[in-house]
Amino acid sequence: MNAFRLRHLGLSLWPFAFLTIGEFLGAMLIMRGAPDVPRPREVLAYSFLAALAGFVVAAVLLWAARRLISSSRSAWWRSVPAAVLVYWCVAVASGLLMAIVAMVLRGSQYPLSLIVLWTVTRPVNVLVLALIVQLIRDGQRASRDVDVILQERLSLARSTNATLEAAESSLRAESRRLLSEEVAAPLGDIVETGANLDDAELANELDDFIGERLRPMAHVLHPVSVRLGLIPALRSLDPLCLISASPTVERMDSDGVLLDDDVRLQVYRWMRENLPESGGSSTALVIRGRDLEVSVHPSKDRELDAVQLVAGLRRVREGVIAAPLRGQITEWVDIEADPFADAPPRRERYRLRDLLTVRLPRRLLLVFLLTLGSAPLQFVVYQWAVTPATLVASACLALAPLVATYALDRLPAPSRTLAGAWRVVGEWCLIALAAVLGVAVPATIFGLFPEGAAEWILMAFRMSYRYLLPGLAVVASYGLVVVAQRRLEQANTALARERQRREEILAESQRLDRDVAEALHRTVQGRLAAAVVMLRIGERQDAWKQIVDMATVEVPELLSRLGERASTTALVIDPPIGLSVVQVSDATLGPDVLEDARSVLGEVAVNARRHGRATVLVIRVDRTTDGWRLACEDNGLGLTNDAAPGLGSRLLDETVARYRGSWSIEPMDQGCRVTIDLPVTNADLASSVA
């Protein structure tokens, strides 16, 4: 995977610090082979001094290398090959010094060939540890970036919710006010006084009401002239308004390339709200950079509402706004002050089992590198001469962990559970055990080992330090990078979904205006016009019933509908045609869980209608001890024998896997039942309940 490609290798002292512990133990073993073996306390002291000398020299050389690289202008010295070269040179120099110190303290000669072997193979161990350190750093950096993006996503979700509520309340309140003042009240007055009017007078009253109230209001709520351009709509709204615009602006406006449709409508709404009621104002349209600057004088200077802010409008000064030109991408604007905006990003917890169960793509290569530094080291520690017996023992040490790794890589990938994590730990224990048996068995057979079980125990500890700890560290660091990248992709997807919801806000605002205008035009205006005709031909009784019905039933029902809040907890937003969805629970899911629940339940609804021919789907949401349970029952044909997993099953599998939950499907007497369990954290439960 891309996460395992080394794009950067920093110079760090941590590889030498980790290696110093093993070299301290190795120095003790070398001291043990001296002709006059020092006392145990002296062995500890000499080994500590040798390891400390190598570590100090490595620290000084790395410090000097960093200073030289920082002052260099060459980009090559900041590349991975340059870091490998520096590590190699520092490892050789510090290792050579350790060997010299060990020989001086030991007070005896040491084979030159073993010293050369030690200094040549030591950099391999350093580079492997440097790779581990770099992977851990990359994982931590990626996790920090993900935390920041997730914080932005949460803030964006809160802003989106505030935007939805503010936009909905603003538009509904405005439409309700207009209907109440311009339709309901005047129509009520006509009903009150209509009994005292004759047919002609009542018909004239209705004609005046339709011409002066209904038609202008329908145009105000959803003006058709806005489609022709902003300037024609403004002239239709206020014929006395003095409009100042360059020929270029007028041509772009008439061609429909000045503003996007949704932006043009919101600019029109702002102008309509700010024009003085007496008329005779002046308006200027000027292009400045990537914005259209619109000014109205005199102006009521009303604040931009939620929908106008989402459309990209911003206030410049009193009576002046700026709107993005056609095709410009508008940035997100917070509608309300976010109390959590200044809070530090909440660090997400990475569970160790999630990190360890990410399969390492090149484990055989890692084991080969660890073996490359381990096999020659046995000659140094035990001072073996090059004989057939020592070569066989060294070859067995090199081959045994590689064979074990190759066999383990043939197994299926571990599951993302605690058992899968323990399996990974067990596999690395087996690799370390294979290395122990690979060297200890032939060494014991050929008499290369000291007598007693203590050497076997010491070898098991050394191989565990050599294979188990570095292997698990690499797997965990690589898993940290991969898991962080997965969460980063999910965060980016959520951000894209929130931006899509912004477009839906604009579409919803236009739809609301259009629906109200059509209701007024087709229902109220059409039936009142029919009442006028009936009055003119002498059918007062039917006409009066029509008028009273409009005033007491239709218009109040329209006002009532505008007073309702849009459902923000519906789990199936767009059910298939022919399927009625009944949601029988009032439980409120959190924003993150709600999106995933809508996704899977939408797929369940589609499958219930498409495959089960169901007409009713009942959804129940229950809170469990560790999360949520979604139960869906339909009245369809039930499960069929030839049913095969498809996209819906894969979507359910992927969703419940993210929550580490489960889902099941079972037949009923009529239809089938789908149960989805989504465990969530306590924080998510608290936010959902709140």
Side-chain angles (χ1 to χ4, degrees):
M1 294 180 63
N2 293 334
F4 200 65
R5 295 177 183 173
L6 195 61
R7 298 180 177 87
H8 174 71
L9 183 61
L11 297 179
S12 173
L13 193 59
W14 282 107
F16 295 94
F18 185 84
L19 191 62
T20 299
I21 301 174
E23 290 175 339
F24 168 69
L25 300 176
M28 292 177 59
L29 294 176
I30 294 174
M31 294 288 181
R32 184 186 59 178
D36 50 343
V37 180
R39 289 175 295 179
R41 183 174 297 179
E42 293 177 346
V43 170
L44 287 174
Y46 295 161
S47 301
F48 177 75
L49 288 176
L52 181 61
F55 179 75
V56 171
V57 170
V60 173
L61 292 178
L62 279 178
W63 176 81
R66 288 176 178 173
R67 293 293 298 271
L68 292 175
I69 292 175
S70 62
S71 61
S72 175
R73 296 183 179 179
S74 175
W76 185 86
W77 285 105
R78 295 171 177 82
S79 62
V80 173
V84 172
L85 177 62
V86 172
Y87 272 123
W88 193 280
C89 295
V90 173
V92 170
S94 58
L96 185 60
L97 178 65
M98 286 184 60
I100 294 173
V101 172
M103 284 191 301
V104 171
L105 295 176
R106 181 185 179 192
S108 61
Q109 297 295 325
Y110 199 82
L112 180 62
S113 59
L114 296 181
I115 296 177
V116 174
L117 183 62
W118 159 255
T119 55
V120 171
T121 57
R122 184 173 183 263
V124 176
N125 297 322
V126 173
L127 289 175
V128 172
L129 295 175
L131 174 64
I132 296 174
V133 171
Q134 188 61 47
L135 284 175
I136 294 176
R137 285 182 171 179
D138 291 343
Q140 292 176 342
R141 188 181 301 110
S143 65
R144 285 195 300 267
D145 294 341
V146 168
D147 290 336
V148 172
I149 291 179
L150 287 179
Q151 185 73 12
E152 293 177 354
R153 181 178 66 84
L154 293 176
S155 177
L156 186 60
R158 286 191 290 265
S159 298
T160 301
N161 291 336
T163 302
L164 287 170
E165 292 184 3
E168 179 189 13
S169 300
S170 174
L171 291 175
R172 288 182 177 272
E174 179 185 6
S175 299
R176 184 181 175 85
R177 180 185 62 81
L178 289 174
L179 279 176
S180 179
E181 295 178 359
E182 302 295 332
V183 176
L187 188 58
D189 294 339
I190 293 176
V191 172
E192 290 181 5
T193 61
N196 300 323
L197 301 177
D198 58 25
D199 293 352
E201 292 174 339
L202 183 58
N204 293 333
E205 285 284 340
L206 289 177
D207 271 336
D208 294 339
F209 174 73
I210 293 173
E212 297 176 0
R213 301 282 186 172
L214 288 183
R215 288 187 185 132
M217 184 178 174
H219 172 76
V220 166
L221 288 177
H222 195 72
V224 178
S225 57
V226 172
R227 303 175 186 176
L228 304 178
L230 186 61
I231 296 176
L234 181 59
R235 286 172 177 162
S236 175
L237 183 64
D238 184 6
L240 301 178
C241 180
L242 178 61
I243 301 175
S244 175
S246 66
T248 302
V249 172
E250 291 187 358
R251 183 174 63 254
M252 293 176 63
D253 183 52
S254 62
D255 293 341
V257 296
L258 182 62
L259 300 172
D260 289 325
D261 293 341
D262 51 0
V263 178
R264 186 191 308 121
L265 179 59
Q266 301 310 320
V267 171
Y268 172 82
R269 288 186 57 238
W270 178 84
M271 297 172 68
R272 182 189 69 197
E273 295 166 357
N274 284 273
L275 286 175
E277 297 178 358
S278 59
S281 62
S282 62
T283 301
L285 286 75
V286 181
I287 295 179
R288 298 190 186 278
R290 297 183 178 182
D291 294 330
L292 175 68
E293 196 169 280
V294 182
S295 60
V296 174
H297 299 284
S299 171
K300 297 179 181 179
D301 195 30
R302 292 187 177 179
E303 295 291 335
L304 295 170
D305 62 25
V307 180
Q308 292 165 349
L309 289 173
V310 172
L313 275 64
R314 55 185 177 84
R315 186 178 185 274
V316 178
R317 56 185 179 275
E318 181 180 354
V320 182
I321 63 168
L325 295 175
R326 186 177 183 86
Q328 299 298 320
I329 299 176
T330 58
E331 297 295 332
W332 185 269
V333 179
D334 286 334
I335 303 305
E336 296 180 354
D338 188 357
F340 303 97
D342 297 331
R346 180 172 63 91
R347 297 299 305 273
E348 295 290 336
R349 297 179 59 185
Y350 291 85
R351 296 191 297 184
L352 191 59
R353 68 184 185 187
D354 293 335
L355 306 183
L356 292 180
T357 52
V358 175
R359 190 152 198 170
L360 199 63
R362 297 180 179 88
R363 183 165 63 173
L364 189 63
L365 175 61
L366 175 62
V367 174
F368 172 76
L369 293 176
L370 294 173
T371 304
L372 190 62
S374 176
L377 185 63
Q378 310 312 312
F379 287 87
V380 178
V381 172
Y382 297 107
Q383 301 180 35
W384 287 345
V386 180
T387 64
T390 58
L391 291 177
V392 169
S394 181
C396 290
L397 171 60
L399 292 176
L402 293 176
V403 172
T405 304
Y406 180 81
L408 293 173
D409 284 346
R410 304 279 76 78
L411 299 177
S415 59
R416 296 180 186 176
T417 60
L418 187 60
W422 280 113
R423 173 191 151 182
V424 174
V425 175
E427 289 179 354
W428 280 101
C429 290
L430 289 176
I431 294 173
L433 180 62
V436 172
L437 297 177
V439 66
V441 170
T444 302
I445 295 175
F446 294 121
L448 302 175
F449 260 15
E451 296 181 357
E455 197 65 29
W456 280 68
I457 297 175
L458 183 60
M459 177 62 69
F461 176 77
R462 290 177 55 223
M463 291 300 106
S464 298
Y465 182 82
R466 173 81 47 185
Y467 286 94
L468 179 61
L469 296 183
L472 291 178
V474 171
V475 172
S477 58
Y478 174 71
L480 184 63
V481 175
V482 173
V483 172
Q485 285 184 344
R486 289 174 181 170
R487 295 180 59 241
L488 181 61
E489 293 174 357
Q490 294 175 1
N492 288 333
T493 302
L495 287 173
R497 187 164 56 239
E498 297 297 342
R499 291 189 179 276
Q500 182 179 0
R501 292 180 66 185
R502 180 180 66 177
E503 299 177 358
E504 294 174 356
I505 295 172
L506 298 176
E508 177 66 18
S509 67
Q510 296 182 45
R511 186 196 64 79
L512 180 61
D513 282 350
R514 184 177 60 252
D515 290 349
V516 172
E518 289 180 354
L520 290 175
H521 177 71
R522 296 180 180 178
T523 305
V524 180
Q525 181 177 330
R527 294 182 64 178
L528 288 179
V532 171
V533 174
M534 286 187 284
L535 287 171
R536 303 236 185 251
I537 62 176
E539 298 181 2
R540 183 183 178 92
Q541 184 175 359
D542 292 338
W544 184 251
K545 181 181 179 182
Q546 193 95 294
I547 298 170
V548 173
D549 187 56
M550 285 291 98
T552 59
V553 178
E554 294 293 340
V555 174
E557 183 179 350
L558 185 58
L559 285 171
S560 175
R561 206 167 70 213
L562 286 174
E564 296 175 356
R565 292 179 54 87
S567 176
T568 58
T569 59
L571 295 176
V572 180
I573 303 299
D574 187 17
I577 297 176
L579 180 69
S580 299
V581 178
V582 181
Q583 189 172 326
V584 296
S585 175
D586 294 331
T588 303
L589 299 175
D592 295 338
V593 182
L594 181 61
E595 291 299 325
D596 291 327
R598 283 174 172 172
S599 177
V600 296
L601 292 178
E603 192 65 30
V604 170
V606 170
N607 289 335
R609 180 59 183 167
R610 179 184 300 167
H611 302 297
R613 301 293 187 268
T615 58
V616 177
L617 177 67
V618 180
I619 300 177
R620 177 181 297 277
V621 181
D622 295 314
R623 185 158 56 110
T624 61
T625 56
D626 60 346
W628 299 98
R629 169 166 291 178
L630 313 176
C632 309
E633 299 180 358
D634 64 62
N635 64 344
L637 302 177
L639 296 176
T640 58
N641 296 329
D642 58 347
L647 292 176
S649 300
R650 288 199 293 272
L651 177 62
L652 286 168
D653 291 337
E654 293 174 358
T655 302
V656 300
R658 287 201 303 270
Y659 289 86
R660 289 174 288 277
S662 61
W663 73 280
S664 62
I665 183 171
E666 54 184 336
M668 300 191 306
D669 294 338
Q670 182 180 3
C672 62
R673 177 188 295 109
V674 177
T675 305
I676 305 168
D677 289 310
L678 301 177
V680 296
T681 62
N682 293 332
D684 292 334
L685 273 175
S687 64
S688 301
V689 174

